[in-house]
Every structure is written in C-alpha cells, then in structure tokens.
Amino acid sequence: STAKKQLQHQLARKDLPYMAEHMQIPANVALLKGKSNYACRAKLTVIKDPSERKPFDEWLKGAEFGDLTEYPGRRPPFWQDVTAEDCIGLACKFAIKDECGYWRAKKQSKTAQIIIANHHVVAFDLRFGPFKLLGPYDTLIIDEAHQAVGAFRGAYAQTATPNGANRLIRQLDRIGLGVERQDLKDAWDTMFKKVAYVEGEIQKDPFGDAGEAVENILIEVSAE
C-alpha cells in the first residue's frame, strides 16, 4: 500500500516485474486504486458536447482499465462527472458484460499474488471487511505509512453533503427504479438548512427531526 499513485505505478509496472525477471520467479502483480480513478461507461451521457464525448468514448472502449493515467493528453474537464465513484456493481450492464475497466481491475486483483493498492483502498477494505475489496491476504506492507492516517480517518468517517440526495436518486435511476423522490429532496434540503449558518462546533445530532425524516425515506427506498 502506498500514498502516491506514481509509486503504485512504479512498483507494479517497473520494480516488481524487474525483480521477478532477474530472480526468475514469475509474479502475478495487479494494481488497484479507488473507484474515483476509473471512468464509468454508464455515465458518458453526461458529456453534452459530442466533440468531447466521442474521443473519450473511443479511448474508453480501448482502455484496459479506464484509468485516468492512461488517458492521452490533459485531464478532461468533465472527469469528476464520469468516474466510477458511485458504481452500482453487477446491476450495471457494462460490469455484467465485462466492459467495465474498474471491474476488470477488481477481477485481476482477485487472482494476483501481489496487489499494489493505496492507503484509501486498504482503509476501506478494513472498514467494510476485512478482505471485502482486496480479498484474503497473508502480508500487508504499508509504504509511506506517515500519510496513511488521513486515509484511515476518512474511511471510518461518516459524511453527508448537500448534493447527496441527487446523487442517490441518480443511482436509483441507473439500477432501473427510475423513481422521482421529491420527498427525499425536500427532506434533504430541510436537513441541511438546519446547519447552513451554524458556526463553531456542530452538535452531535445536528439534523434533528429532519434527519429522522430522511432516514425513514431511505428505509422506504431500500425496501423498494
């Protein structure tokens, strides 16, 4: 596990293959990053300009993993809107058909002897598992360990953003529910109005009744 992506690539594509070759020991090495580093084919419709969408789509079809570091030229301005951050997994047709780069990267890691991950992936693996994201392993080596604290703090933190409801509704639409949850939007807006002008330390239960209303709606959505 490393802190920097550059070091991930150096280990996975240069250092370890060099060692394996000169020691004459075959090594199956996989590189796995967080979901926000991969493009999501299901989101290409958010790119409104055809002159931008076409070359990006052509690159993505030919890219092994849809990793941003593989994209030729400058980082596209719409990148944050097309990442696999909120991947819906095997409910997506591209994942089922093995046409999703992120899922190909995950599949490769399942059979690897050595996985080069980053601190964020390891932290979330421990939070949701362990071994949920990375699979079972015998040894964990944390390089650049002094930078791991922030990753682990982030993985175990609970966050909510003003735009979170819209993001959830988009996910519901993508898995085929296609419901317009105006009640969720309204309750979510009310929830954040309660903390919009709070200064200093926020109390333990800042949302109160509005937060409880959102929770009840989310329970109803999950039942659907």
Side-chain angles (χ1 to χ4, degrees):
S1 173
T2 74
K4 298 183 180 67
K5 298 172 188 175
Q6 296 93 324
L7 184 53
Q8 273 189 279
H9 283 261
Q10 178 183 322
L11 288 168
R13 296 177 179 171
K14 183 179 179 181
D15 294 353
L16 289 175
Y18 178 87
M19 291 175 62
E21 179 184 356
H22 286 77
M23 295 176 68
Q24 298 183 341
I25 301 175
N28 184 355
V29 180
L31 189 153
L32 186 64
K33 302 178 182 178
K35 291 186 286 187
S36 62
N37 292 279
Y38 302 91
C40 173
R41 293 190 63 183
K43 291 183 178 179
L44 291 182
T45 54
V46 306
I47 309 174
K48 302 303 181 184
D49 187 342
S51 65
E52 292 183 331
R53 182 170 61 246
K54 184 177 180 180
F56 188 79
D57 186 28
E58 290 177 350
W59 164 76
L60 190 52
K61 288 178 179 177
E64 185 176 9
F65 302 117
D67 189 332
L68 177 61
T69 57
E70 300 173 3
Y71 188 72
R74 297 180 61 185
R75 177 177 179 148
F78 48 80
W79 178 257
Q80 294 299 329
D81 298 322
V82 295
T83 73
E85 180 64 36
D86 51 356
C87 173
I88 58 176
L90 293 177
C92 176
K93 63 180 181 180
F94 295 109
I96 295 174
K97 296 178 180 179
D98 197 30
E99 297 176 356
C100 171
Y102 170 63
W103 276 86
R104 280 198 293 269
K106 286 193 64 175
K107 183 185 295 185
Q108 185 188 62
S109 71
K110 297 298 183 185
T111 58
Q113 295 168 288
I114 303 172
I115 301 174
I116 308 300
N118 57 41
H119 298 339
H120 292 279
V121 171
V122 172
F124 277 99
D125 179 67
L126 292 174
R127 175 187 171 183
F128 294 120
F131 312 140
K132 182 73 172 179
L133 302 178
L134 296 173
Y137 53 82
D138 300 312
T139 304
L140 171 62
I141 300 173
I142 300 182
D143 198 359
E144 302 177 304
H146 63 288
Q147 297 186 47
V149 177
F152 278 79
R153 183 186 296 117
Y156 283 89
Q158 293 181 330
T159 60
T161 64
N163 194 46
N166 291 328
R167 179 177 172 183
L168 175 60
I169 290 170
R170 286 197 301 270
Q171 287 179 288
L172 292 173
D173 183 60
R174 285 169 55 202
I175 62 176
L177 292 181
V179 291
E180 179 65 26
R181 300 300 311 214
Q182 189 61 46
D183 55 347
L184 177 58
K185 291 182 180 179
D186 293 342
W188 199 273
D189 289 343
T190 300
M191 186 173 74
F192 273 91
K193 284 178 182 177
K194 294 178 68 66
V195 297
Y197 302 104
V198 173
E199 295 182 1
E201 185 176 352
I202 296 178
Q203 62 186 18
K204 184 176 181 181
D205 182 19
F207 300 128
D209 293 341
E212 186 176 347
V214 167
E215 182 180 359
N216 290 333
I217 294 172
L218 291 176
I219 292 173
E220 179 185 336
V221 169
S222 65
E224 295 176 359

